Amino acid sequence: PFLKSDPVVAVLRLSGVIAAGSRGTLSDQALAPLLERAFTKGKPAAVALQINSPGGSPVQSSLIGARIRRLSEEKKVPVFAFVEDVAASGGYWLASAADEIWADESSVVGSIGVFSAGFGEHEFMAKQGIERRVYPAGKSKSRLDPFRPENPEDVERLKGILEDLHQNFILQIKSRRGTKLSDAVDLFTGEIWLARKAQELGLIDGVGHIAPKMKERFGDKVKFRRYEMRRPFFRRF
């Protein structure tokens, strides 16, 4: 009981698309028990997030990021994010929940933006002689119906919602990265950058990999305790 134990860093891999309800995707519900264990088991010196995500749901990104910050502050445990191939859009939102963000030189970072996409099939249906019949109660109930011609009013309404989501994203990044962000470039156009340029712009803290960086911070005797979502059976097979 009087011996000092080696520091432990809990490592949690966040890999994949961010979405609710699908197996194999990153969601707040799926990650909650892993995050709880990572921050509490064995009194870790830090939690390291290995991130490889192109993004996904803005709501799930926000919920996961908020949970990481809440646990970090409650347990007094610092958080470090290490970007692998990509931390874009919602993936960068997750990275921004960390106190420091590190990446490989070839990592892709950024894409601070929001978009919506779909198809218009009304011309195809007309050529096939198919008639669309919709009977909504409420004038806004059937907005953006892909089987009917595009309505400019619906498009304008959608753009307003997307702009509001974009502002939420911008506020998250500004609140987390603060004065580290560069004023020389508009960082919120949805553009992406490689790590060196992202470091110049203040989106990340530098180029570095998890093992050497954690040894540099906590000593050569640091140990790693790893956590990862269980992959679906066929992906494991």
Side-chain angles (χ1 to χ4, degrees), residues 13 19 37 41-42 71 76 85 89 92 95 98 110 129 140 143 149 169-170 172 185 190 196 198 216 222 235-237:
R13 176 174 291 278
R37 289 200 295 273
K41 185 176 180 180
L71 288 168
K76 303 295 190 293
D85 297 85
S89 195
Y92 183 68
S140 300
R143 287 186 186 273
F169 200 168
I170 293 171
Q172 164 70 13
V185 177
R196 290 293 183 189
E216 176 186 306
V222 66
R235 285 182 61 188
R236 286 184 282 126
F237 180 78

Side-chain angles (χ1 to χ4, degrees), residues 60-71 93 97 172:
Q60 293 301 313
S61 301
S62 177
L63 290 173
I64 296 167
R67 185 179 295 276
I68 291 169
R69 290 312 315 152
R70 185 166 60 251
L71 288 168
W93 186 308
Q172 164 70 13

